[in-house]
Amino acid sequence: MKVFLFRSLIVFIVFDLFTIFGPMVFAQSKTMIAASKLFLYPKKSSVYSVAKFQYIRGKNKKRKTHLSKALKSLMERSRQKSYEILMLRQEMKKAIDTLKKQSAILDLEGDTAVIGDVHGDYENLIKIIDDIQPALESGEIKNVLFLGDYIDRGPSSFKTLLILLKFFNENPGKVFLLRGNHETIDMYMGGGGKNLARNEKAFKSIGNDLLFAFFNQLPYAAVINDETLAVHGGVPHRNYWRDFWRNEKISDVKTEHFAPIYSALWSDYDKKGDAKSSGSLRGKNPLLVCYNEGCVREFFEESSKLEYLLLNKICLKYLIRAHQSWLGDFHQTLNKIITTIFSAVKGQDFVELGRKARVAIVKKGMAPELFVRSR
């Protein structure tokens, strides 16, 4: 009500000024009437009203603007956006069907290109795909693995998901998607979703039910060549090292069963980290821990005794993860046990001079390294 009164007051003041200077502004009166309607009732203004306003404004300025052309242009844009929304929903449903057939921990063999956080940076996502597509088609690399955090912060999460899911669906068995901390319901409902709905009206048209179904079907980790663990954040809290390997997709984030996954999606690398005490800058949640190289070695050693790893003859040596923009686009610890890859360039909180859209390559018997496209 206050907003309506404020808008009404502005319109009345403007009309008073027009009354005083009537003869001078008579030619613009129709424009003001159309504009005031849009101003007072922006949500109720139809495509026709917007087109009519553009038409009147163009006519008064002696432009060759016709109502039919304005209508046609707006309707075309409206149809295009509706088509994009429909296409994204279709691609997401198709992706969910594929993800349902995948385990929570992927087992990948062969040279694998690994991409870190994308965060709505669709332009650089296109560049990354252009770089790795020829290598994927030629067999130079066998798999492409995304480490999560596809939405929020960047220029367009809508376009990013559309491009990413199309790439995923067109390359079954070659392109794989992991879950990031931004692909969790609590993160989305706690602020990420509001930010997207505010900045991208089309994004909320996807529907929470479909979006959350997509989140919940994403695997949370991958083992590459039986020796490299890929996960968004890294080593979980020490209390959940064994539970991390349960290999279950959990939909309810509030249950104790989700704690190992939640911790692994949110954990950070830090030289002083012990994977137990909460030293994270991200909040006071006890599951948000930091870990160092020593913790990773201990995690690998303890995990090697578990039935899941013994049966699959897994002997972990390296960890590749994403999540931390402040470590740069490509960062490795002293002994190269931990590699951090961050692939977004444009976006809130991580714009840095010289940052590039990096891709890592994981090969058997070697620590992860930067992927260089063959020319």
Side-chain angles (χ1 to χ4, degrees), residues 229 234-235 238 241 269 275 291-303 316-319 337-338:
L229 175 65
V235 173
R238 284 180 182 270
W241 281 6
Y269 162 74
Y291 57 89
N292 57 20
E293 273 194 339
C295 296
V296 175
R297 286 197 191 96
E298 288 180 57
F299 174 66
F300 287 169
E301 185 177 347
E302 186 170 320
S303 299
L316 296 172
K317 298 177 182 177
Y318 307 105
L319 169 68
I337 293 174
I338 305 171

Side-chain angles (χ1 to χ4, degrees), residues 204-272:
K204 62 182 179 182
S205 302
I206 300 171
N208 285 355
D209 289 345
L210 183 61
L211 192 64
F212 294 165
F214 169 65
F215 288 172
N216 291 330
Q217 290 301 325
L218 288 167
Y220 63 85
V223 175
I224 306 170
N225 297 325
D226 298 329
E227 62 183 14
T228 301
L229 175 65
V231 62
H232 182 74
V235 173
H237 192 288
R238 284 180 182 270
N239 292 349
Y240 300 105
W241 281 6
R242 294 178 67 87
D243 294 334
F244 174 84
W245 297 103
R246 273 203 305 249
N247 198 10
E248 296 175 355
K249 292 179 180 177
I250 311 296
S251 59
D252 188 353
V253 298
K254 294 182 179 180
T255 65
E256 182 70 12
H257 292 296
F258 193 75
I261 303 172
Y262 187 90
S263 186
L265 297 184
W266 278 94
S267 61
D268 289 314
Y269 162 74
D270 187 90
K271 289 181 180 179
K272 299 179 180 179

Side-chain angles (χ1 to χ4, degrees), residues 177-366:
L177 307 177
L178 294 188
R179 192 174 195 172
N181 62 301
H182 281 254
E183 284 77 52
T184 54
I185 297 171
D186 68 326
M187 179 66 179
Y188 185 83
M189 297 302 291
K194 293 177 182 177
N195 181 47
L196 288 170
R198 183 169 60 251
N199 296 323
E200 296 186 59
K201 293 180 180 179
F203 196 88
K204 62 182 179 182
S205 302
I206 300 171
N208 285 355
D209 289 345
L210 183 61
L211 192 64
F212 294 165
F214 169 65
F215 288 172
N216 291 330
Q217 290 301 325
L218 288 167
Y220 63 85
V223 175
I224 306 170
N225 297 325
D226 298 329
E227 62 183 14
T228 301
L229 175 65
V231 62
H232 182 74
V235 173
H237 192 288
R238 284 180 182 270
N239 292 349
Y240 300 105
W241 281 6
R242 294 178 67 87
D243 294 334
F244 174 84
W245 297 103
R246 273 203 305 249
N247 198 10
E248 296 175 355
K249 292 179 180 177
I250 311 296
S251 59
D252 188 353
V253 298
K254 294 182 179 180
T255 65
E256 182 70 12
H257 292 296
F258 193 75
I261 303 172
Y262 187 90
S263 186
L265 297 184
W266 278 94
S267 61
D268 289 314
Y269 162 74
D270 187 90
K271 289 181 180 179
K272 299 179 180 179
D274 60 4
K276 189 173 183 180
S277 57
S278 181
S280 175
L281 299 173
R282 301 176 188 271
K284 296 181 179 180
N285 190 320
L287 293 175
L288 307 186
V289 296
C290 293
Y291 57 89
N292 57 20
E293 273 194 339
C295 296
V296 175
R297 286 197 191 96
E298 288 180 57
F299 174 66
F300 287 169
E301 185 177 347
E302 186 170 320
S303 299
S304 66
K305 303 170 186 176
L306 301 178
E307 184 179 2
Y308 175 82
L309 277 77
L310 288 171
L311 288 174
N312 292 282
K313 299 180 180 179
I314 295 171
C315 182
L316 296 172
K317 298 177 182 177
Y318 307 105
L319 169 68
I320 186 164
R321 34 95 63 183
H323 193 46
Q324 282 177 270
S325 63
W326 57 87
L327 292 178
D329 46 34
F330 184 83
H331 176 273
Q332 287 184 313
T333 54
L334 184 62
N335 296 309
K336 296 186 177 181
I337 293 174
I338 305 171
T339 300
T340 301
I341 184 83
F342 197 91
S343 303
V345 177
K346 298 178 182 177
Q348 174 191 348
D349 300 335
F350 51 79
V351 176
E352 292 180 17
L353 188 65
R355 183 184 289 279
K356 295 182 180 179
R358 299 290 193 183
V359 178
I361 183 76
V362 176
K363 299 180 179 180
K364 192 172 182 61
M366 298 172 58

Side-chain angles (χ1 to χ4, degrees), residues 33-65:
I33 292 169
S36 64
K37 286 180 180 179
L38 293 174
F39 187 72
L40 282 169
Y41 307 103
K43 293 182 180 179
K44 295 181 181 179
S45 299
S46 64
V47 172
Y48 177 80
S49 299
V50 177
K52 189 174 181 180
F53 171 61
Q54 290 182 350
Y55 164 68
I56 295 170
R57 184 178 59 183
K59 187 178 180 183
N60 288 341
K61 291 185 179 181
K62 296 182 179 180
R63 293 176 183 168
K64 294 181 179 179
T65 306

Side-chain angles (χ1 to χ4, degrees), residues 57-275:
R57 184 178 59 183
K59 187 178 180 183
N60 288 341
K61 291 185 179 181
K62 296 182 179 180
R63 293 176 183 168
K64 294 181 179 179
T65 306
H66 300 286
L67 181 58
S68 59
K69 287 186 178 180
L71 266 173
K72 185 178 179 182
S73 175
L74 283 164
M75 289 301 289
E76 282 177 355
R77 276 182 282 173
S78 178
R79 280 196 296 269
Q80 182 181 359
K81 183 55 65 178
S82 297
Y83 172 73
E84 288 176 351
I85 292 168
L86 178 63
M87 188 161 58
L88 178 55
R89 286 180 60 84
Q90 289 175 343
E91 294 291 343
M92 190 168 287
K93 288 176 181 177
K94 187 176 179 181
I96 290 171
D97 289 339
T98 302
L99 292 168
K100 284 179 179 178
K101 300 172 186 176
Q102 297 179 353
S103 62
I105 301 175
L106 300 172
D107 182 17
L108 305 181
E109 293 292 332
D111 293 355
T112 303
V114 181
I115 296 94
D117 297 43
V118 178
H119 274 309
D121 188 1
Y122 69 96
E123 291 180 345
N124 279 292
L125 174 60
I126 293 171
K127 292 178 183 178
I128 288 171
I129 292 173
D130 285 345
D131 276 348
I132 61 179
Q133 185 81 52
L136 187 64
E137 291 176 352
S138 67
E140 181 184 345
I141 57 174
K142 190 175 179 181
N143 311 302
V144 177
L145 178 66
F146 290 85
L147 296 178
D149 276 14
Y150 312 117
I151 62 174
D152 207 3
R153 296 186 178 176
S156 177
S157 296
F158 181 89
K159 291 180 181 179
T160 297
L161 273 184
L162 184 57
I163 295 164
L164 185 71
L165 292 178
K166 197 157 187 65
F167 184 52
F168 174 74
N169 290 330
E170 288 178 353
N171 295 276
K174 293 182 178 181
V175 177
F176 301 90
L177 307 177
L178 294 188
R179 192 174 195 172
N181 62 301
H182 281 254
E183 284 77 52
T184 54
I185 297 171
D186 68 326
M187 179 66 179
Y188 185 83
M189 297 302 291
K194 293 177 182 177
N195 181 47
L196 288 170
R198 183 169 60 251
N199 296 323
E200 296 186 59
K201 293 180 180 179
F203 196 88
K204 62 182 179 182
S205 302
I206 300 171
N208 285 355
D209 289 345
L210 183 61
L211 192 64
F212 294 165
F214 169 65
F215 288 172
N216 291 330
Q217 290 301 325
L218 288 167
Y220 63 85
V223 175
I224 306 170
N225 297 325
D226 298 329
E227 62 183 14
T228 301
L229 175 65
V231 62
H232 182 74
V235 173
H237 192 288
R238 284 180 182 270
N239 292 349
Y240 300 105
W241 281 6
R242 294 178 67 87
D243 294 334
F244 174 84
W245 297 103
R246 273 203 305 249
N247 198 10
E248 296 175 355
K249 292 179 180 177
I250 311 296
S251 59
D252 188 353
V253 298
K254 294 182 179 180
T255 65
E256 182 70 12
H257 292 296
F258 193 75
I261 303 172
Y262 187 90
S263 186
L265 297 184
W266 278 94
S267 61
D268 289 314
Y269 162 74
D270 187 90
K271 289 181 180 179
K272 299 179 180 179
D274 60 4

